[in-house]
Amino acid sequence: MGIKEGVRTVFINAPAEAIDAIELPTVDLEINLSGDFDYIHLFANSQTELHEKFPALKDHLKQTGMLWVSWPKAGQNGTDLTLTKVIEIGYEYGLVESKSLSVNSIWSALKFTHPRKDKIYANSYGKLKL
């Protein structure tokens, strides 16, 4: 997941088994969303929850940081989130996706970062708003 030793990290709504599956290096793990972070990881079950949390998470993300969003795979836990919907929401709030992976048997994850200047992002799932 690209998590480097010593980075300032926060998990939001993360189940313990998902954190265990990530196999974190030694990080500066915070419990509150305060200040700027190198690595933020949100676990969300719905589009509403993602819309509610995304702006604040983006505000706390360092320019060089990464925001991972995880959601239940294949409609588990009654989710209305899909890969394409998560990409669309990320673009709506001005972040771009770069990598996806499976956290465990329940959770998928998608990495978002701040867009680079002078790069054109043309994703068919979302329109980048800056």
Side-chain angles (χ1 to χ4, degrees), residues 42 44 46-55 69 81 86 89:
L42 169 66
S46 71
Q47 291 178 38
T48 300
E49 182 180 11
L50 194 50
H51 279 290
E52 287 172 354
K53 299 206 182 296
F54 212 103
V69 174
L81 290 169
V86 173
I89 292 170

Side-chain angles (χ1 to χ4, degrees), residues 26-40:
T26 302
V27 294
D28 177 9
L29 186 59
E30 301 290 333
I31 57 170
N32 295 312
L33 191 62
S34 176
D36 291 334
F37 290 87
D38 303 289
Y39 175 87
I40 299 172

Side-chain angles (χ1 to χ4, degrees), residues 68-88:
W68 282 88
V69 174
S70 285
W71 68 97
K73 296 176 185 179
Q76 293 183 71
N77 298 349
T79 188
D80 61 352
L81 290 169
T82 61
L83 175 69
T84 54
K85 186 49 75 174
V86 173
I87 291 170
E88 178 185 317

Side-chain angles (χ1 to χ4, degrees), residues 4-9 25-28 38:
K4 295 183 178 155
E5 188 122 348
V7 299
R8 191 154 190 264
T9 303
T26 302
V27 294
D28 177 9
D38 303 289

